[in-house]
Amino acid sequence: MKTLAQKILDAHVVSGTLKAGEQVEIIMDQTLTQDATGTMAYMQLEAMGIGQVKTELSVSYVDHNTLQSGYMNADDHAYLQSVAAKHGIYFSKAGNGICHQLHLERFAKPGRTLIGSDSHTPTGGAMAMIAIGAGGLDVAKAMAGIPYRITYPKICQVRLSGKLAHGVSAKDIILELLRRESVKGGVGKIYEYTGEGVCTLSVYQRATITNMGAELGATTSIFPSDETTREFLVRQQREEDFIPLAADEGAEYDETIEIDLSTLHPAAACPNSPDNVLSVASLAGKKVDQVAIGSCTNSGYEDLMKVASILKGRTIAPNVSLVISPGSRQVMRKLIKNGAFATFVDAGARILECTCGPCIGMGQSPKSDGVSLRTFNRNFYGRSGTLSAEVYLVSPETAAASAITGVFTDPATLEYDDQFETEPSYVDDSLIYAPADDPEQVEVIFGPNIKPLPINDALENTFEKKIVIKLEDNITTDHIAPAGAKVLPYRSNIEKLSTFVFENNKKDFYKVCNEHNGGIIVAGENYGQGSSREHAALAPMFLGVKAVIAKSFARIHLANLINFGIIPFVFADKADYDRIDDLDDLVFENVHGLANDVNFIVYDRTKDIRIPVVAQISPADFELLKYGGALNYIRSTQDTILDK
Ligand code: MIC
Ligand code: SF4
């Protein structure tokens, strides 16, 4: 008797023991990349010497870096289009939509595995896929046919009963889970949704939930494939991709969480963390300056139809700026046809293109001390581009209702129609280009923004380095390698990008690293939560960071550190965090002798104390570290691990 997640995982495992906590290797059927992580991923694929990708399907999307002020982003787009054509990868052009929504609409298939260089890849779990976010190098490896290594997760059942009340939305379900479980509650887990409440949720609603499972720190989240899934696929004109899939009757779960949908109320994640959840009712009346509707979490057809329903015949409050970015061109086209789009314009909304936009700080930063309500998935410090802004994460219904009144408003208190016909989707793949028939003829275009991949040195057996920064709990990858319109254009230029590392925590961090010839990062719990951006490991690697000592790590960032040859240590005794300080000299002796889960002693020369730390990583990962990271390892051992 198996859970749904186990069924799909087990059918894809090629080595390892199928038991929670054990390392397994799984074959990935599909891959996706987006532009902000894709350039590195494809440079790494090319560095491996791969001709055609080995996956069933690989897609490259352009959706993040679309604000083209300067040549940089456009250079990246041209590179991505040409490299995709050459290596057997489908390419979705800028403006076509956000990778996760488009992938769900056009390519996701029940029962398949997907790895994507974006932390919200688990959105595909709404289509009964095992969909996992990872660093670009892991995605490049999957395209090269190398199985993906993960710790076999615990399977946590989320049993849904009842039905959502008027004004309550899928966003409120996942916010409730975040309230209960926290941003690190899902580490090492897959959340599998079951129960009679499942069939009351559409595929787009399920996608909101699986998307934001990333904020729980989970490996992924998954829904069964049922009649609702079939109808979605029929509307996308690909019913042939449907297969029914569910857990076996009597399957056993490691844990069960019960949620009665009828008891939920509209909720908001308050600054600066997605798990800082309060009811909208408790915030009612608080003045709002900006409302942003969109992102891969909440810009599907139904989300925007509900927004249109609330905005119909009304106009936004004078104190509010409302921006709307539809998740895909298909959805936008349909809203144009059925009149919903005209409603947005009439209400006073500012319409943005179908991209990530303000979610990643590509424009629309709020005013100083502004209160911004966003239907997005992350409200980390500084991510909006305005450090003093207060960003709240809410449902599209709460966002639309508050845009009209100008204050936090519980949508349950408003009359609006939340039933609308689910007509056939408008399907249009005209901005998705198939790979070239004659790949040898394709020339890959490298504009001046694309700089060569930095290569790490092999790991020294003994070294001494200073602590270059000491950080608190829950440091996000947005702290490490900030996003936003100013920094993101340098994602293909690591030298330049490295000058922004920790810019909001320690000004000129890169100069400190240069002065001390690299160093060691010390951090609290859940270090590296949030995005999959490998730049948060790659740029510190470039600055000479050799190890991070933290109380605990987020899953994807831990893997990225190993991939780029930075040793992730955890304190054997968390109390030792308080005994060491910024600029202490740390000595690491005989690191080549490291073994999984065995105490390793770091000598703090400044304080003359010994700190036991542990590296909880597999023997295979130790090998990567010795070579200075996965790319060095693959290139040195290529003949044996790549079937070219
Ligand atoms: C994000 O939402 O933080 C991003 C931008 O989509 C990242 C990827 C990136 O940094 O390029 C993610 O979620 O992985
Ligand atoms: Fe884009 Fe935001 Fe989704 Fe990341 S979370 S993929 S930036 S829409």
Side-chain angles (χ1 to χ4, degrees):
M1 243 93 74
K2 286 186 179 181
T3 71
L4 170 58
Q6 286 166 341
K7 283 186 190 177
I8 304 174
L9 275 176
D10 297 0
H12 287 83
V13 165
V14 287
S15 74
T17 313
L18 309 175
K19 192 166 160 258
E22 299 287 333
Q23 294 271 305
V24 287
E25 291 194 313
I26 38 181
I27 280 290
M28 287 295 175
D29 301 322
Q30 302 188 348
T31 65
L32 73 77
T33 57
Q34 40 88 341
D35 49 324
T37 54
T39 51
M40 281 294 143
Y42 296 114
M43 281 197 253
Q44 287 155 349
L45 181 74
E46 292 216 293
M48 289 178 209
I50 294 300
Q52 297 296 292
V53 294
K54 309 282 192 278
T55 40
E56 253 175 50
L57 172 88
S58 288
V59 191
S60 168
Y61 296 91
V62 176
D63 53 1
H64 281 63
N65 284 342
T66 55
L67 198 68
Q68 289 156 232
S69 59
Y71 61 90
M72 291 83 83
N73 293 341
D75 272 9
D76 286 3
H77 302 171
Y79 167 74
L80 289 167
Q81 184 159 1
S82 58
V83 85
K86 191 165 189 77
H87 295 291
I89 299 149
Y90 283 79
F91 178 75
S92 168
K93 218 179 196 168
N96 197 35
I98 305 175
C99 58
H100 306 302
Q101 184 168 323
L102 272 176
H103 205 84
L104 186 75
E105 290 172 358
R106 304 310 304 139
F107 298 111
K109 284 188 187 178
R112 296 296 214 279
T113 51
L114 164 70
I115 187 169
S117 62
D118 191 282
S119 64
H120 292 104
T121 304
T123 312
M127 187 72 81
M129 298 186 88
I130 290 289
I132 302 182
L137 182 49
D138 281 322
V139 178
K141 282 155 72 179
M143 287 189 274
I146 302 173
Y148 180 56
R149 195 167 49 238
I150 51 162
T151 306
Y152 198 94
K154 286 188 177 160
I155 316 292
C156 173
Q157 167 175 228
V158 186
R159 198 158 42 210
L160 304 178
S161 58
K163 198 169 180 301
L164 294 173
H166 172 76
V168 190
S169 135
K171 184 65 156 276
D172 303 312
I173 304 176
I174 189 66
L175 289 178
E176 169 63 10
L177 207 53
L178 274 153
R179 190 186 66 79
R180 293 195 202 175
E181 297 273 280
S182 91
V183 288
K184 53 182 192 301
V187 175
K189 295 183 195 169
I190 292 183
Y191 289 95
E192 182 168 321
Y193 290 82
T194 68
E196 88 261 13
V198 164
C199 67
T200 67
L201 301 174
S202 68
V203 170
Y204 284 124
Q205 287 175 308
R206 296 174 188 184
T208 297
I209 296 169
T210 52
N211 174 281
M212 262 190 106
E215 273 53 67
L216 292 158
T219 303
T220 191
S221 305
I222 190 164
F223 274 86
S225 171
D226 55 13
E227 276 313 300
T228 307
T229 320
R230 184 207 294 274
E231 280 161 30
F232 181 87
L233 285 167
V234 168
R235 289 201 298 278
Q236 290 290 330
Q237 297 173 18
R238 50 189 195 99
E239 189 180 5
E240 66 285 3
D241 290 340
F242 175 75
I243 48 165
L245 277 176
D248 289 330
E249 193 85 29
E252 282 186 21
Y253 291 87
D254 294 298
E255 212 184 299
T256 294
I257 296 172
E258 306 274 355
I259 300 184
D260 178 352
L261 302 181
S262 61
T263 62
L264 298 182
H265 300 285
C270 304
N272 287 322
S273 183
D275 61 358
N276 189 11
V277 177
L278 291 179
S279 71
V280 173
S282 71
L283 296 160
K286 185 179 167 69
K287 195 156 169 266
V288 169
D289 300 294
Q290 183 192 48
V291 173
I293 296 175
S295 93
C296 58
T297 317
N298 275 125
S299 56
Y301 174 70
E302 289 147 40
D303 290 328
L304 298 183
M305 284 303 289
K306 284 190 190 153
V307 170
S309 206
I310 294 173
L311 294 182
K312 202 166 177 61
R314 296 167 165 142
T315 45
I316 56 171
N319 56 303
V320 169
S321 164
L322 169 66
V323 291
I324 301 181
S325 30
S328 71
R329 212 167 51 99
Q330 294 195 155
V331 164
M332 179 164 75
R333 182 65 188 81
K334 198 166 157 189
L335 299 176
I336 289 172
K337 187 155 177 277
N338 70 15
F341 219 71
T343 304
F344 297 159
V345 176
D346 291 345
R350 299 163 66 179
I351 309 293
L352 304 180
E353 50 174 346
C354 306
T355 57
C356 302
C359 179
I360 189 59
M362 274 288 157
Q364 306 300 326
S365 298
K367 70 175 194 191
S368 300
D369 304 322
V371 172
S372 178
L373 262 65
R374 300 176 161 217
T375 66
F376 309 164
N377 47 36
R378 290 186 172 146
N379 57 347
F380 299 146
Y381 176 66
R383 187 174 160 103
S384 69
T386 305
L387 294 181
S388 65
E390 288 180 34
V391 177
Y392 293 81
L393 307 174
V394 296
S395 70
E397 292 90 323
T398 301
S402 308
I404 292 162
T405 59
V407 292
F408 267 85
T409 301
D410 183 339
T413 61
L414 278 190
E415 292 264 323
Y416 65 93
D417 187 10
D418 53 10
Q419 300 301 321
F420 38 80
E421 214 192 320
T422 42
E423 329 106 70
S425 298
Y426 178 87
V427 172
D428 175 4
D429 289 335
S430 59
L431 292 188
I432 299 179
Y433 304 121
D437 294 331
D438 50 355
E440 338 41 70
Q441 303 306 317
V442 178
E443 202 191 314
V444 178
I445 303 168
F446 288 93
N449 192 44
I450 320 254
K451 300 284 185 256
L453 273 176
I455 304 294
N456 200 10
D457 300 327
L459 182 67
E460 283 180 295
N461 193 27
T462 295
F463 55 89
E464 178 163 350
K465 295 272 168 208
K466 274 196 190 301
I467 297 177
V468 276
I469 192 165
K470 186 175 173 189
L471 301 146
E472 63 273 29
D473 290 349
N474 291 322
I475 288 295
T476 71
T477 54
D478 280 273
H479 291 101
I480 310 170
K486 184 180 72 170
V487 186
L488 280 171
Y490 300 112
R491 283 291 183 89
S492 314
N493 179 349
I494 300 301
E495 183 175 353
K496 177 77 180 167
L497 191 86
S498 69
T499 63
F500 297 97
V501 170
F502 288 124
E503 69 164 357
N504 296 327
N505 297 78
K506 189 175 201 171
K507 205 171 158 0
D508 292 338
F509 173 79
Y510 73 103
K511 288 189 184 156
V512 180
C513 291
N514 289 346
E515 190 184 329
H516 299 296
N517 193 19
I520 307 298
I521 293 172
V522 171
E525 301 281 4
N526 203 20
Y527 179 71
Q529 68 156 325
S531 85
S532 70
R533 64 189 73 144
E534 60 190 358
H535 302 76
L538 198 44
M541 175 209 97
F542 181 83
L543 294 173
V545 171
K546 294 293 171 204
V548 180
I549 309 177
K551 290 186 185 169
S552 64
F553 287 93
R555 179 186 67 85
I556 306 179
H557 188 62
L558 178 83
N560 286 338
L561 288 172
I562 296 167
N563 272 345
F564 292 100
I566 298 177
I567 315 174
F569 287 114
V570 290
F571 288 99
D573 176 357
K574 289 182 184 175
D576 282 338
Y577 170 88
D578 297 318
R579 299 172 70 206
I580 57 178
D581 290 298
D582 214 6
L583 296 182
D584 280 6
D585 282 303
L586 300 187
V587 182
F588 297 75
E589 260 178 20
N590 190 21
V591 286
H592 289 184
L594 273 175
N596 184 27
D597 240 347
V598 175
N599 277 7
F600 175 87
I601 305 298
V602 178
Y603 174 58
D604 184 325
R605 191 188 293 285
T606 315
K607 303 264 166 55
D608 191 22
I609 51 173
R610 290 183 159 70
I611 307 285
V613 296
V614 184
Q616 288 158 328
I617 49 182
S618 68
D621 285 339
F622 279 122
E623 275 308 294
L624 303 188
L625 282 174
K626 274 195 214 161
Y627 278 83
L631 201 57
N632 292 357
Y633 175 77
I634 292 168
R635 288 160 96 176
S636 311
T637 52
Q638 205 155 26
D639 297 340
T640 44
I641 61 165
L642 290 181
D643 170 28
K644 282 199 275 166

